[in-house]
Every structure is written in structure tokens, then in C-alpha cells.
Amino acid sequence: MTGTGGYWPKRIRSKAFKRTLTTAVADELRSLAGERIEDVLDGKLVRAIIADWDTRMVNREFVADLLIENTRRAGRRLARQNESLLDLLDAEMVADIDQLLSELAELPPSAEDLIAKMMQQEFVRRLLTDVIYSAIVNFYEKANPLFGALTARVLEEQIKGFIRLFMPMLQKQATAFAVNKQNQRLVLDFARTIIRQLLNEPLRHFAATAMPTQRRKTEAFVHKALGNPNVGALLREVALATWDDLYESIRHKRVGELLQIEAHSAWLADRCVEVILPALARPGILQLLGAEIGLAAGGKP
């Protein structure tokens, strides 16, 4: 390096410089703990980065490939896990989860609206039709063991058509039953049973079991979805809204309230220096530092 005699490449790699830098970083971290977050973090700048990040920086094809590969690896890891989620948690946490599930008393109004909308879906209509038809067939089997079931099956389409005539009334009655305060305990007991079963299920049962053709279609969908501008716009809006809410909640707080950097400044400084030193050793940065030393030696601003 002209004018520096290769000083910086040697200095940056020395133990003395590492110790000096670590001490300086630790001092700055302790000082930073007393600063307000809005004074050290430009919220508008972060927002601008989020707004343009996916269009200026992200290679969506690479992200899609990375997501697919990580999903495959996660599936392979899960396939080897015999423990359940409850097996991996301590007894106190399990008790807290069970207590939380037990304290569910009634469905919120939003859940009642959701149930009402679900009851209007075509899938539910078909399900109710099949349940009622099966009940009729079962009744005729018992009433007339020889010909009852056969008659019901021969007239299957006529019977289902008759059931569909009353479907709007049946859907209203089913919705009313589900949202009724006296019946919500049954719904919540069912939900608690499902949640407990999922928590007790071995993790390997959650591993992907799709056929190769299904996997290929899913992977193609991931590539298509990540390349869809509407999906990108939606993700960007969600990220911006999340940042706005988060920043508004923490902007007036001090850094030390959010992070315990004052108490753990030495530990954090060591970690930071491990990241900073390789960056300082990059050829372009070394050249910049050497040029600045040369300017300083010449008394130039």
C-alpha cells in the first residue's frame, strides 16, 4: 500500500488491534444502552429498505430454491424424530399449555362469524348431505334388513336431491348449534382434544409424505408464487405494517430496555469484533484505510 508500508493489513490481523477494537466496541455498547431507539435507528430509512428490498436485492429464484431445499431437509430431520412436541418441553410448560387450553370458555364473536361462513361452503353442504343420507340408509337397514338398504341406494340421487332442498335450513340449524353458548363447550372440547393430540403426536408423523409428482407440483407452485408480483406486493405490505407497528411501540424506549447490552457488553463486543474484523480485512476497505492514512499524513481533509 502506497504511503502506509502495508501497515493496516498487519495491524488489523494483530491481537493488540483486536483487543483495542473490542474495548472500544464494548464502551460504545454501554453508552448506546442509554440512548433512545429513535435517536440511533432511522425508522424511515429501515422502512425504505423494506419497501425496495424484494425488487432491488432479492433473487426470487434463488429464494425459492433455498426454501424448497430447506423444506426437504426439515422433512428428513422430522422423519427421524420419535419425540412429540410435549416430549421436548419441560413439565411446567406442558402444565401451562394444558391450563391454557382448559381455560378456553367460549368462542369469540369473530369465531362465530367464521363458523357461519364455513357452513355456507360447498364442502360442508356435501358433507351434511352425505351424513344425512348415511343415516337414512342405516335406518332402512335396521327397519328392513332384506330390502331397505338396497332401496335406499337405488334411490340415492332422489334422496340426496330431497335433502338438498332443505339444506339452507339445515345449515342455519347447524350454525346455530355450533355458536350456541351451551353447545360451545362441545366445540371447544373437540378443539382441545385435537390440539392435545397434535402436541402428543411424534414429530416424524409431520414429515412430508407427498408423492414425487405432488412434490414437483408443489415446488413449481413455490417458484410461481414467489415470482408473482401480487404475492410480492402483499408480503411487502405485511412487512411494512409489521415494521410500522413495531417501531411505533419501541421508538421512545431506550436501547437498554430492549436489549441487555450494558450487562453483556463484553460478550456482545467479542461477537461483534468477530464480524467486524473480516470486513475490515477486505481489500477494498484496506485500500480505503491506507488512502485515508496517507491523506491524514499529508494534512489533507
Side-chain angles (χ1 to χ4, degrees):
M1 273 184 194
T2 305
T4 66
Y7 168 80
W8 267 113
K10 296 177 182 178
R11 176 63 176 169
I12 285 176
R13 291 175 175 82
S14 69
K15 293 182 179 179
F17 181 78
K18 184 176 182 179
R19 287 193 300 268
T20 302
L21 180 60
T22 301
T23 300
V25 171
D27 291 341
E28 286 299 317
L29 289 173
R30 283 190 289 270
S31 174
L32 188 64
E35 299 287 339
R36 294 190 183 279
I37 291 175
E38 63 181 347
D39 294 331
V40 298
L41 183 63
D42 189 335
K44 292 182 179 179
L45 176 59
V46 175
R47 199 179 196 284
I49 293 174
I50 294 173
D52 293 331
W53 182 261
D54 67 325
T55 57
R56 297 180 183 272
M57 297 296 295
V58 176
N59 182 334
R60 295 189 181 185
E61 284 296 313
F62 177 78
V63 171
D65 290 336
L66 188 63
L67 180 61
I68 291 169
E69 182 57 30
N70 285 342
T71 301
R72 291 174 181 169
R73 292 179 180 177
R76 289 194 291 267
R77 285 196 296 271
L78 280 177
R80 297 192 294 267
Q81 297 294 323
N82 292 318
E83 301 89 347
S84 68
L85 284 173
L86 290 183
D87 292 332
L88 300 177
L89 299 174
D90 58 80
E92 183 178 356
M93 179 62 71
V94 172
D96 289 341
I97 293 175
D98 196 64
Q99 180 66 25
L100 182 63
L101 294 177
S102 300
E103 289 177 355
L104 291 174
E106 63 182 42
L107 296 172
S110 58
E112 296 179 6
D113 294 338
L114 177 62
I115 291 174
K117 292 177 180 178
M118 288 176 60
M119 288 298 176
Q120 302 299 319
Q121 299 300 311
E122 179 63 25
F123 168 77
V124 176
R125 292 188 186 130
R126 293 179 181 177
L127 179 62
L128 289 175
T129 300
D130 289 341
V131 169
I132 296 172
Y133 173 75
S134 298
I136 293 174
V137 171
N138 186 56
F139 170 79
Y140 274 105
E141 284 179 342
K142 292 180 179 179
N144 188 344
L146 292 178
F147 301 107
L150 178 61
T151 302
R153 296 189 187 282
V154 169
L155 300 175
E156 178 178 351
E157 287 304 316
Q158 291 86 339
I159 293 173
K160 287 186 175 181
F162 181 75
I163 294 172
R164 283 191 284 268
L165 290 176
F166 294 91
M167 188 53 58
M169 181 183 67
L170 293 172
Q171 288 174 306
K172 290 181 180 179
Q173 291 179 340
T175 301
F177 177 87
V179 302
N180 186 285
K181 301 296 182 184
Q182 296 178 347
N183 297 327
Q184 284 187 12
R185 181 174 295 277
L186 297 175
V187 177
L188 290 170
D189 285 343
F190 175 74
R192 283 192 288 265
T193 300
I194 293 298
I195 293 173
R196 287 193 179 100
Q197 181 61 40
L198 291 175
L199 291 174
N200 276 305
E201 198 70 17
L203 292 174
R204 57 186 172 83
H205 290 173
F206 294 104
T209 57
M211 299 297 289
T213 302
Q214 294 172 319
R215 282 199 298 270
R216 286 194 294 270
K217 290 182 178 179
T218 301
E219 292 170 2
F221 171 78
V222 171
H223 277 280
K224 186 175 181 179
L226 288 180
N228 187 303
N230 292 331
V231 173
L234 176 61
L235 293 176
R236 182 166 56 254
E237 289 302 317
V238 170
L240 287 171
T242 301
W243 167 250
D244 289 341
D245 292 340
L246 175 63
Y247 188 68
E248 187 60 33
S249 299
I250 66 174
R251 58 181 299 185
H252 299 303
K253 297 186 180 297
R254 301 191 183 279
V255 177
E257 295 180 72
L258 183 65
L259 304 172
Q260 301 181 44
I261 59 175
E262 189 170 12
H264 302 286
S265 58
W267 175 86
L268 185 56
D270 285 336
R271 306 288 84 75
C272 290
V273 168
E274 293 297 330
V275 176
I276 293 172
L277 282 178
L280 292 178
R282 296 292 300 173
I285 302 299
L286 285 173
Q287 185 176 4
L288 173 64
L289 292 173
E292 290 298 317
I293 291 176
L295 290 173
K300 297 179 181 179

